[in-house]
Every structure is written in C-alpha cells, then in structure tokens.
Amino acid sequence: MGKSPLRWRRPGFFVGVLAAAGLLTVIACGGESTAPPTATTAPAPTATATNTPVPDAPATSSTTVVAAPVATATPTPEPKPEDRPKSGGLFRFIGSSDPSSFDVHTATSSAHITHNGMMYSSLMIIHEGTNIILDAAEGYEISDDGKTWTFTLKPNVFYHSNPCCGFPDHPRDGTAMTSADAKWSLEKIMGLHGQLISARSGWIKEFVDIDRDDNGISIVDDRTFKVHLIQAFPGLALVLSINFTSILPDGIEVMDMKDRPYGSGPFKLKDYQRGAFWRYERNGRYFKAGLPYLDEAEHVNIRGTEVVQQAFLTNKVDMGWGHPTPDNVGLYKAKVDSGEIVMNPYATSCRPIGININATTPPF
C-alpha cells in the first residue's frame, strides 16, 4: 500500500463544527470522493442512570441486542476554554464534482453526499467517528427478540423553507417531520415504490419484513413508528445513521429531487453554480440548539493537484487534501512548523472488493 493520504487545514479557520459532523465523516468512499473536513464536535452527552432515551445521546434498551454503544457512567471532561467551539464564520473546503441531483438516497459517491448531506437529517448519526447517537429521532426501543424497533421522532424537526435559487415552493416547506415521512423514506430507500434501491442503504430490505401489508414499517402516531424485522439485526442503527438514509417528506420522489432539496439539516443551500461552488448558510430553525456553529460553508470544486495546492497555500480555501508535490514540500513544512496549518494523515476504507460466482450451476 502507498502512503496514507493527508488532510491539511488551518486551525484559525475552525470557528465551529458542521453541526452533524457525521454527515461528512461516516460516508463510504465512491466516485471522485473528496476528503471530508475534520470538524470540532460538541461534547458527548453525560450518561444517565435510567433507561429513558436522552436527546442526542445513545438510546438504551432492555434487550440483549446491541444496536448502539452503551453509555457509561464516566463523566465527560469539561472542555478547556481554548477548546470550546466558537460561533460564526465561513469555512471553505475543496471538492471535485457536483451531485447529479439532490436525492441523498440515490447518491453513490461521498463526493456527492458531501454536498447534500449538509442539508438533511437522519434518524441517527455517528458522533466522533465511533458512537451512534440520536439525530431526528428522540428515542427508540428494541423488543426483547430484537425484531421490532420502535422510534419516536423529535417534535421540532422542520423542513427548510424555500431558501434560494428560485426553487419551487412545496406544501411541506417549514412543516415538521412525521412518522409518514420516515416510513416513505425507508420504503423509497428499499425500492418499494418502483424507484431505484439505494446502493448504500437499500440492502436493509434483506432484514425488514417487507412481506407485511405495511411493508414492515407501521405507523403508531405522527411521531411514533415501528420497523419490523425478519430477524434481529443490530446493524440497523448504523445504516440509519448515514446520510444515504436521510428522511424526506412523504411522497417526494426521485424526479422531485432534480429540482431542489427537501432537507431538515443544519445547513440550507444559499447559492450554487455547478462545476464551481456550492454555498450553504446556517439553518436558524435547526432542531439542535446552538448548532451549527458556522454561519456559512462553501464547497469549492477544484481539479488538479497543483491547482488545489495553490488554492490552499494562497488562502483561497481553508482545507485541502493529498500529498504536497515535491515543489511544495518545503512550503508545507514551514507552515506546519509555524503552526499556521495542520497536516493529518488518514486512511480510507476503500479497498478492492469482489466476489466470484459460478453462474453455470445452481443456485446461481
């Protein structure tokens, strides 16, 4: 294997986090994926001694099926003043290509979910790279046999109003997320409405009891629904926490997403020009109080190693990726030594994967 890739960033520009930080860090690679920004996340919630789910914290259950990390009694260290997140500012990071549409379900590349993921919410989310915590869901319970998951949605998850760019209005703009939205979205992901199965999340249909009259997802009330499985599947929590499994309004189809986004996430689309830039602004109605910390974020599409590094070295962007070219090694080292930039090696999970099947004999 070659050297691990590098992310470079300027500490002074990290004035906050991109709210649901998992939206840029948990996605798998694909296409011309870009390295996600490394953002400062909010402190992890302190565990409670009861089984009552705490918003934005891992929910607990009486079952032995482990669907999320179990909270511990270890108190969260109080961050030092210099480590506390700051509010405001613009964060600019490099990308390489545009998403074909605003549909997070049909996206296959992390390069594209980096755009769309900032605008959407999922039932759960990855926190600090390891913990599954609640996002749009307020809590969940798992039955003793592990086959029924009951979710309760937060009451204040509102879809964005028409924010920019002459997007057409929709009756669900500014309305709250409902159980019907979650049911529709999960069914859409599994291809149960005649649409494409999500390449990233659609395989949950192998575990959901889609032969039921309700397709394995029953609505209890506006904020409560159940997912019925054919067998216990602890991995469901992980699939529900990625941006490819975000929740859309009930009835929104693939073609609707060609025209505009339908998100409820930490950022709204402010402006964009395909092939050049995508600008996002803080969602002032976001359901997580105080988040996101950033006022704006800008995804700048730049191709070519030399051009990317020139943009970073001349402060046109705040974060880049890749190994410095031989001519730039000295410049990068000097900036690292002075504390102006930080260079972090990282490894992706992208590896050649394949399976060979004999198609000349049963059962294939």
Side-chain angles (χ1 to χ4, degrees), residues 164-247:
C164 85
C165 316
F167 289 145
D169 292 329
H170 190 272
R172 292 301 305 278
D173 288 354
T175 64
M177 183 181 292
T178 68
S179 296
D181 300 333
K183 175 178 171 64
W184 169 268
S185 297
L186 294 177
E187 291 172 342
K188 176 178 176 295
I189 286 166
M190 294 186 288
L192 302 183
H193 295 292
Q195 305 186 53
L196 291 174
I197 298 174
S198 170
R200 297 289 182 161
S201 305
W203 58 275
I204 61 173
K205 70 181 298 184
E206 302 298 325
F207 295 90
V208 177
D209 190 359
I210 59 175
D211 291 331
R212 288 171 50 110
D213 291 340
D214 54 17
N215 290 328
I217 305 168
S218 59
I219 295 177
V220 178
D221 56 42
D222 282 348
R223 291 176 47 212
T224 309
F225 65 96
K226 297 177 181 288
V227 178
H228 305 274
L229 307 178
I230 58 176
Q231 66 183 65
F233 175 43
L236 180 63
L238 184 60
V239 182
L240 296 179
S241 68
I242 62 177
N243 288 120
F244 299 100
T245 323
S246 295
I247 305 302

Side-chain angles (χ1 to χ4, degrees), residues 313-358:
L313 291 169
T314 56
N315 298 327
K316 298 296 190 302
V317 293
D318 306 322
M319 182 169 180
W321 54 273
H323 291 283
T325 59
D327 290 342
N328 286 334
V329 169
L331 293 174
Y332 277 84
K333 185 179 185 304
K335 289 181 178 292
V336 170
D337 292 343
S338 68
E340 183 179 346
I341 68 172
V342 173
M343 297 180 67
N344 292 327
Y346 71 98
T348 71
S349 60
C350 303
R351 298 291 183 268
I353 298 174
I355 183 170
N356 298 316
I357 298 176
N358 184 350

Side-chain angles (χ1 to χ4, degrees), residues 128-145:
E128 294 186 346
T130 55
N131 297 322
I132 300 174
I133 65 173
L134 301 174
D135 194 34
E138 184 175 70
Y140 71 100
E141 295 178 355
I142 307 174
S143 62
D144 289 340
D145 62 4

Side-chain angles (χ1 to χ4, degrees), residues 357-364:
I357 298 176
N358 184 350
T360 64
T361 60
F364 303 111

Side-chain angles (χ1 to χ4, degrees), residues 9-344:
R9 56 187 175 89
R10 306 175 195 284
F13 285 96
F14 277 82
V15 292
V17 298
L18 300 180
L23 62 85
L24 294 178
T25 58
V26 301
I27 46 187
C29 68
E32 296 169 319
S33 59
T34 62
T38 302
T40 305
T41 53
T46 303
T48 64
T50 69
N51 288 329
T52 301
V54 180
D56 307 331
T60 58
S61 167
S62 59
T63 180
T64 57
V65 178
V66 179
V70 179
T72 67
T74 304
T76 302
E78 187 71 17
K80 299 177 182 178
E82 61 270 21
D83 294 332
R84 293 181 186 278
K86 299 178 182 179
S87 297
L90 165 68
F91 176 67
R92 306 161 298 175
F93 56 102
I94 291 175
S96 61
S97 62
D98 299 324
S100 57
S101 80
F102 295 106
D103 189 356
V104 288
H105 299 161
T106 58
T108 57
S109 169
S110 60
H112 301 160
I113 204 68
T114 298
H115 289 278
N116 287 329
M118 302 174 67
M119 298 181 286
Y120 290 86
S121 303
S122 301
L123 295 173
M124 310 168 87
I125 200 167
I126 301 292
H127 179 65
E128 294 186 346
T130 55
N131 297 322
I132 300 174
I133 65 173
L134 301 174
D135 194 34
E138 184 175 70
Y140 71 100
E141 295 178 355
I142 307 174
S143 62
D144 289 340
D145 62 4
K147 295 168 62 175
T148 302
W149 294 47
T150 303
F151 289 91
T152 303
L153 296 173
K154 293 175 180 174
N156 59 338
V157 182
F158 297 104
Y159 292 108
H160 301 159
S161 298
N162 185 11
C164 85
C165 316
F167 289 145
D169 292 329
H170 190 272
R172 292 301 305 278
D173 288 354
T175 64
M177 183 181 292
T178 68
S179 296
D181 300 333
K183 175 178 171 64
W184 169 268
S185 297
L186 294 177
E187 291 172 342
K188 176 178 176 295
I189 286 166
M190 294 186 288
L192 302 183
H193 295 292
Q195 305 186 53
L196 291 174
I197 298 174
S198 170
R200 297 289 182 161
S201 305
W203 58 275
I204 61 173
K205 70 181 298 184
E206 302 298 325
F207 295 90
V208 177
D209 190 359
I210 59 175
D211 291 331
R212 288 171 50 110
D213 291 340
D214 54 17
N215 290 328
I217 305 168
S218 59
I219 295 177
V220 178
D221 56 42
D222 282 348
R223 291 176 47 212
T224 309
F225 65 96
K226 297 177 181 288
V227 178
H228 305 274
L229 307 178
I230 58 176
Q231 66 183 65
F233 175 43
L236 180 63
L238 184 60
V239 182
L240 296 179
S241 68
I242 62 177
N243 288 120
F244 299 100
T245 323
S246 295
I247 305 302
L248 314 175
D250 181 16
I252 294 298
E253 299 185 354
V254 172
M255 294 308 297
D256 297 320
M257 312 297 284
K258 291 283 186 182
D259 297 327
R260 55 161 289 184
Y262 292 85
S264 58
F267 288 93
K268 301 188 295 184
L269 189 61
K270 180 179 181 181
D271 189 17
Y272 73 103
Q273 180 178 323
R274 287 193 172 274
F277 64 86
W278 295 68
R279 297 187 182 117
Y280 306 87
E281 62 182 349
R282 186 180 190 274
N283 175 16
R285 210 180 181 192
Y286 188 47
F287 55 88
K288 295 182 181 179
L291 297 178
Y293 297 125
L294 288 170
D295 289 334
E296 294 183 287
E298 182 172 356
H299 192 277
V300 186
N301 284 350
I302 305 177
R303 289 178 176 269
T305 301
E306 291 79 6
V307 181
V308 166
Q309 294 186 16
Q310 180 69 12
F312 181 77
L313 291 169
T314 56
N315 298 327
K316 298 296 190 302
V317 293
D318 306 322
M319 182 169 180
W321 54 273
H323 291 283
T325 59
D327 290 342
N328 286 334
V329 169
L331 293 174
Y332 277 84
K333 185 179 185 304
K335 289 181 178 292
V336 170
D337 292 343
S338 68
E340 183 179 346
I341 68 172
V342 173
M343 297 180 67
N344 292 327

